[in-house]
Amino acid sequence: AQTVTQSQPEMSVQEAETVTLSCTYDTSENNYYLFWYKQPPSRQMILVIRQEAYKQQNATENRFSVNFQKAAKSFSLKISDSQLGDTAMYFCAFQTPGSARQLTFGSGTQLTVLP
Amino acid sequence: EAQVTQNPRYLITVTGKKLTVTCSQNMNHEYMSWYRQDPGLGLRQIYYSMNVEVTDKGDVPEGYKVSRKEKRNFPLILESPSPNQTSLYFCASSLSRGGPYEQYFGPGTRLTVT
């Protein structure tokens, strides 16, 4: 079974600064997908960024980028130029290809952006 | 607008009183799933469905039932709710082949069982 670990329950960052959220996972699979989801106070789950394990290039979406280290089984999220609207719970999630399509989530990191 | 809807959004009930949380999607997705979110545990999958009349257990299925009689609907049924089922529940849907397709989440249902 896959496990996802987020070791930082809470983090804070000053507005306009850069912050990195860590995520590690454990799997014996070679092909899989990784995601970061954001959950603002509204509770809505919003996809931030995704990474396919067979792609060596790190994914980037505007101010959000990942550092994917397959050998180390690490998938950190970097948020540049942090904004107040980035305040949210962030979940790292793992998925294997195939019929189940189950997302295995980490326990989450509560990020607070300070003005 | 493409979306997943859940009803009700908030529910307070008593132990043993059967309840149903509805989930509907308008994106013609084959795959639908239910998760529960608890503090410190993230989201855990309860049940999922690959298509009409095809359902299977996730990681925490005890105490829950589901059905998939129509492609767009995937209700979650608690036959005899207990206080340990107090949680935040999410329904999600996605395409079922290939990937990594984004899973679209509903707005969540906050359930309290007293």
Side-chain angles (χ1 to χ4, degrees):
Chain A
Q2 285 72 227
T3 59
V4 178
T5 301
Q6 294 179 249
S7 59
Q8 306 151 313
E10 297 180 355
M11 295 186 73
S12 62
V13 63
Q14 291 294 138
E15 196 174 6
E17 297 291 308
T18 295
V19 64
T20 299
L21 282 59
S22 65
C23 172
T24 59
Y25 56 93
D26 188 24
T27 184
S28 58
E29 303 285 340
N30 187 51
N31 189 26
Y32 47 86
Y33 311 125
L34 294 162
F35 304 83
W36 278 98
Y37 278 86
K38 168 184 177 181
Q39 186 181 46
S42 66
R43 303 187 324 215
Q44 183 67 47
M45 294 290 289
I46 302 165
L47 178 65
V48 174
I49 199 164
R50 78 189 83 188
Q51 175 82 40
E52 295 160 70
Y54 65 86
K55 291 185 177 179
Q56 292 186 337
Q57 187 172 6
N58 288 324
T60 299
E61 289 286 345
N62 300 314
R63 297 182 295 108
F64 299 87
S65 62
V66 299
N67 183 6
F68 173 49
Q69 302 289 329
K70 190 173 184 179
K73 296 180 182 176
S74 172
F75 183 60
S76 61
L77 174 70
K78 185 172 82 171
I79 306 174
S80 304
D81 186 26
S82 297
Q83 301 175 359
L84 296 177
D86 295 333
T87 292
M89 179 74 84
Y90 286 82
F91 291 100
C92 178
F94 174 101
Q95 183 185 60
T96 51
S99 60
R101 307 198 70 76
Q102 178 185 31
L103 285 168
T104 300
F105 286 86
S107 56
T109 296
Q110 176 62 49
L111 176 68
T112 301
V113 179
L114 303 170
Chain B
E1 178 190 358
Q3 61 182 351
V4 178
T5 57
Q6 293 178 228
N7 282 291
R9 297 288 310 278
Y10 301 88
L11 180 59
I12 301 174
T13 190
V14 296
T15 299
K17 186 176 181 181
K18 181 180 179 179
L19 67 92
T20 298
V21 183
T22 64
C23 173
S24 183
Q25 51 92 6
N26 63 1
M27 295 168 279
N28 202 36
H29 286 162
E30 298 91 355
Y31 178 88
M32 297 186 75
S33 179
W34 277 101
Y35 296 86
R36 61 176 288 172
Q37 181 181 356
D38 301 290
L41 296 177
L43 283 77
R44 294 175 292 166
Q45 190 182 54
I46 303 170
Y47 269 95
Y48 66 95
S49 170
M50 292 303 298
N51 215 323
V52 176
E53 302 292 359
V54 180
T55 63
D56 207 346
K57 297 177 181 178
D59 291 329
V60 289
E62 293 77 20
Y64 304 95
K65 285 177 56 177
V66 293
S67 68
R68 187 90 180 274
K69 300 188 185 307
E70 302 169 284
K71 195 172 186 179
R72 63 183 293 128
N73 296 324
F74 190 45
L76 179 69
I77 303 159
L78 285 71
E79 294 271 2
S80 182
S82 62
N84 64 12
Q85 292 177 299
T86 292
S87 188
L88 178 60
Y89 291 87
F90 286 98
C91 180
S93 74
S94 76
L95 295 170
S96 67
R97 290 183 175 81
Y101 291 120
E102 176 180 358
Q103 288 198 17
Y104 292 82
F105 285 82
T109 295
R110 171 72 70 185
L111 172 65
T112 301
V113 183
T114 61

